[in-house]
Amino acid sequence: MKRYLQELRYLLPTLYFNFHYLPFRQALRLPIVLYRPHLISCKGKVRLEPSDGRIRHGMVRLGFRHAMIYANNGISWENNGGTVIFRGRCVIGNDAYLSTGAEATVDFGDDFANSAAMKLVSLSSIRFGRNVRVGWHCLFLDSNMHPLYDLEREVPLPASGPIVIGDSNWFGADCRVLHSTVTPGRCIFAIGTTVTHGSKLRAYCAMGGSPVRVLRENVLRSDQ
C-alpha cells in the first residue's frame, strides 16, 4: 500500500514524463515511475527496449528512497538532447542526478540497480551491461570537462570517451568511473575505488584503490 501511495503522490509528473517521451501505447502502462522528480530539462529521447519485449508498469523506478543516510529528494533529470535507453528493470534511488548531453547516449542494461545518490554525467556515451549494482554516491563521468594540453607533443589530450560497464559488475560506495573506462563482466569494486582508462581490470576479482589493484581473486557477488 505504501508503494502505491508514493506513486500516486507524484502521478502528474509521472504522467507527463511517460507521455512526453514514450509512444502512446507504452506510456499508457506508466512503465517509468518517478518520485520527487526535479525535471531540469526534458529534451532528447527515452527508449524502452526490454529483451523480452514486455513493457510493464513500474519497470523503471527513479528517485524512490532506499538509503536513509541520503536526502529524500528524489531524482534530478537533465536531458539536453541525448538518448537514454532502458533495457529492462531499472531502479535508481534517492538523491540521484542524471545529466545527458546533447549528443550523448546512456544505456542501462536489464536489472540495473542503484541504492542512492548516483551521479551520472554523459557528454559521450555510458553503457551498462546486465545485472549491474551501484552503491551509494557513485560517480560516472565520461568527460573530464577541462581538457589538458601536452606541451611536448603540442597536442590536446583526450578529454572524453565512452564508458562501457560489463555484465554483473558491482560498485561499492563512493566509486568513481571516468572517461574511456571499459570493464569486463563480473568485476567487484571496493568502496572509494577510482576506475580510469588503462586500469588493469580482471573478471571474478575484487579490486580497489587508485590506481586500481586486485584485492582478492576468484570471488563472486553472493546473490549470483
Side-chain angles (χ1 to χ4, degrees):
M1 178 62 71
K2 181 180 179 181
R3 169 178 168 173
Y4 292 113
L5 289 175
Q6 288 178 328
E7 291 185 10
L8 283 172
R9 186 177 179 186
Y10 295 96
L11 180 59
L12 287 179
T14 291
L15 285 167
Y16 167 77
F17 194 91
N18 281 269
F19 283 94
H20 174 71
Y21 274 120
L22 302 178
F24 184 77
R25 289 190 176 182
Q26 289 186 0
L28 281 174
R29 297 179 178 271
L30 299 184
I32 303 172
V33 181
L34 308 178
Y35 181 74
R36 293 194 173 187
H38 307 277
L39 302 178
I40 299 166
S41 176
C42 289
K43 299 177 182 178
K45 300 177 182 179
V46 171
R47 303 206 310 262
L48 300 181
E49 299 183 3
S51 57
D52 61 4
R54 296 177 57 198
I55 305 297
R56 297 174 290 273
H57 170 72
M59 60 186 289
V60 177
R61 298 176 62 81
L62 306 178
F64 288 83
R65 194 171 196 181
H66 296 285
M68 297 301 174
I69 69 169
Y70 288 97
N72 186 23
N73 61 2
I75 188 167
S76 296
W77 174 274
E78 180 186 25
N79 187 336
N80 293 307
T83 300
V84 180
I85 304 170
F86 297 102
R87 299 191 182 274
R89 176 181 176 270
C90 178
V91 175
I92 298 176
N94 52 297
D95 198 25
Y97 197 110
L98 303 185
S99 178
T100 309
E103 300 179 1
T105 299
V106 178
D107 190 332
F108 293 98
D110 185 25
D111 198 22
F112 177 93
N114 160 248
S115 51
M118 182 175 78
K119 314 301 180 188
L120 182 151
V121 179
S122 177
L123 300 182
S124 174
S125 172
I126 300 177
R127 177 161 60 88
F128 297 94
R130 296 183 66 258
N131 198 35
V132 172
R133 297 291 183 269
V134 177
W136 302 337
H137 202 242
C138 289
L139 170 69
F140 294 86
L141 179 64
D142 65 13
S143 172
N144 63 18
M145 307 295 182
H146 305 287
L148 301 178
Y149 189 82
D150 189 319
L151 293 174
E152 292 184 358
R153 293 186 294 165
E154 297 185 340
V155 295
L157 297 175
S160 65
I163 293 173
V164 181
I165 304 300
D167 293 345
S168 299
N169 276 209
W170 181 16
F171 296 87
D174 284 308
C175 286
R176 294 165 294 277
V177 182
L178 306 182
H179 77 78
S180 305
T181 293
V182 178
T183 73
R186 299 189 183 277
C187 290
I188 299 172
F189 297 98
I191 186 171
T193 302
T194 299
V195 192
T196 64
H197 173 64
S199 296
K200 296 180 179 180
L201 308 176
R202 293 164 54 187
Y204 295 99
C205 288
M207 292 164 283
S210 180
V212 177
R213 66 186 187 278
V214 174
L215 304 176
R216 188 157 188 167
E217 299 178 325
N218 300 316
V219 290
L220 187 68
R221 222 171 61 209
S222 60
D223 60 347
Q224 295 182 328

